[in-house]
Amino acid sequence: MIIELKPEASEADAKEILTQIESVKLKPLYMPGTERIVLGALGDEIVLHSLNITAHPMVENIKPILSTYKQVSREMQSHDTQVAFGQNTIGGGTFTVIAGPCAVENKEQMFESAKIIKKYGATGLRGGAFKPRTSPYSFQGLEEEGLKILQETAKEFNIPSVTEIVDANHVDMMEPYVDAFQIGARNMQNFKLLKAVGQTNKTTILKRGMSATIEEFLLAAEYIYNEGNKNIILCERGIRTYEKATRNTLDLNAVAYIKTKSHLPIIVDPSHGTGIRELVIPMSKAAIACGADGIIVEAHYNPQIALSDGQQSLDEAYFEKLMSELTPFIHASGKVLS
Ligand code: PEP
Ligand code: MN
């Protein structure tokens, strides 16, 4: 439930009501705004009715939150959330371009790739050290050694970094190495991992599961938010459909829809969304047009020798083309590269 207080209500009035909410084991939320204080009560609504909060002299109005996800919904917060990513900001009027190899392979590969993406204006560096591969025989990543290379590269090129976390027990070990965690499609409903990341303050890019509905996707984000971590960036990376011509079907409906339903920023991954290098630029433009707050793309200094996802990785010529062709789209959307 959302409880709107009267404009003249004080912080003390709010605290009194929050204590009542807490006393019946509901989750109290305090959301002071510029004009008035808004409170939230999460849990069994029948229990809330028993408190008869409507009768409180400082309560103006009580309304239910209709969506199943609560704290990440626009019903709870109408303005866009902005999330820090290193020195940059994602959401609320910025457009982010995160790029880099699928996997960290070695220092030379990371340095050469970072040099290219930085040269043309990327605002974030990606690289997987723990790779959840479909086949157990595929390259699984360099693990902690890969994190060290990623950290060294990000420092050298002064660019924020993101890498995938696959295990709740890795949180403490991984946190110092990167600016953001990524939770991959295959782990979107790994609730233990969602909760563990939720207990940190680390910026987290949550990718949509390949067969997850939008509601399931937002409920996964709610798991992280509910533990206290509000620094969440959603990522649409394509879903599995009957279509086999492309690796996945990039669901841009989801981006436009989520913008109306959630205050969290959302970026698009056209690399995994299509699986085809030639489609990355057009789908990046489409991502801007449908309201995305950024893109995350795979780029490699030499995709032919990439140990994973070379077929969808951009080389220098493609990355330069991406950035030059995206610039007018970013301007047209009224956003700034960040
Ligand atoms: C990745 O970003 O390298 C990755 C494995 O993505 P996804 O989880 O979307 O498949
Ligand atoms: Mn990949």
Side-chain angles (χ1 to χ4, degrees), residues 29-241:
L29 299 171
Y30 179 63
M31 296 168 286
T34 44
E35 281 164 29
R36 64 175 76 234
I37 300 172
V38 176
L39 306 177
L42 300 182
D44 189 342
E45 289 175 3
I46 297 165
V47 177
L48 186 73
H49 284 303
S50 72
L51 287 176
N52 198 18
I53 280 175
T54 2
H56 192 287
M58 285 301 158
V59 170
E60 180 130 290
N61 151 43
I62 300 192
K63 54 180 188 207
I65 306 166
L66 299 175
S67 51
T68 48
Y69 40 90
K70 310 286 178 193
Q71 299 176 75
V72 304
S73 76
R74 281 231 190 253
E75 294 174 80
M76 195 67 115
Q77 178 189 303
S78 57
H79 66 270
D80 290 341
T81 286
Q82 293 192 307
V83 177
F85 178 41
Q87 64 268 36
N88 300 331
T89 301
I90 301 186
T94 63
F95 195 81
T96 302
V97 178
I98 302 170
C102 178
V104 177
E105 298 166 10
N106 55 60
K107 193 169 149 184
E108 187 202 0
Q109 170 244 18
M110 283 308 290
F111 269 57
E112 291 302 315
S113 303
K115 196 157 89 188
I116 291 168
I117 64 148
K118 181 77 187 190
K119 180 169 158 193
Y120 300 107
T123 50
L125 175 67
R126 59 152 291 150
F130 291 87
K131 296 302 302 174
R133 305 302 301 281
T134 301
S135 162
Y137 307 115
S138 302
F139 176 58
Q140 304 284 313
L142 297 182
E143 305 193 343
E144 195 164 358
E145 182 52 31
L147 297 175
K148 288 185 180 148
I149 296 173
L150 179 61
Q151 183 183 43
E152 201 187 333
T153 316
K155 195 164 170 231
E156 175 71 23
F157 292 91
N158 187 29
I159 187 166
S161 62
V162 56
T163 200
E164 179 164 353
I165 180 164
V166 296
D167 188 328
N169 297 319
H170 289 172
V171 168
D172 293 341
M173 179 275 287
M174 289 181 70
E175 225 186 322
Y177 287 115
V178 284
D179 296 287
F181 288 143
Q182 171 178 310
I183 295 183
R186 290 155 192 81
N187 270 312
M188 190 207 81
Q189 283 189 321
N190 180 339
F191 301 115
K192 198 172 165 215
L193 181 61
L194 297 175
K195 284 186 186 176
V197 164
Q199 282 157 17
T200 73
N201 214 19
K202 199 81 171 172
T203 292
T204 300
I205 297 178
L206 175 67
K207 295 185 115 185
R208 180 180 181 185
M210 58 188 86
S211 55
T213 64
I214 294 171
E215 186 180 28
E216 286 163 345
F217 186 23
L218 290 171
L219 282 168
E222 186 87 4
Y223 263 93
I224 302 174
Y225 206 97
N226 192 39
E227 295 295 322
N229 187 353
K230 300 181 175 177
N231 301 312
I232 306 166
I233 298 148
L234 303 168
C235 178
E236 167 57 48
R237 48 78 73 205
I239 51 173
R240 185 164 284 182
T241 66

Side-chain angles (χ1 to χ4, degrees), residues 95 246 250 252 268-271 273-292 294-295 297 312 314 317-327 329-330:
F95 195 81
T246 51
L250 188 62
L252 295 182
V268 167
D269 176 349
S271 303
T274 64
I276 301 171
R277 182 179 305 125
E278 289 74 12
L279 302 187
V280 171
I281 296 177
M283 297 320 289
S284 296
K285 293 174 182 168
I288 299 181
C290 72
I295 51 171
V297 299
Q312 66 193 33
L314 305 179
Y318 257 108
F319 194 73
E320 178 181 13
K321 186 166 150 61
L322 169 79
M323 294 308 283
S324 71
E325 293 191 10
L326 274 195
T327 304
F329 280 79
I330 297 173

Side-chain angles (χ1 to χ4, degrees), residues 129 261 305:
K261 298 290 177 188
I305 58 162

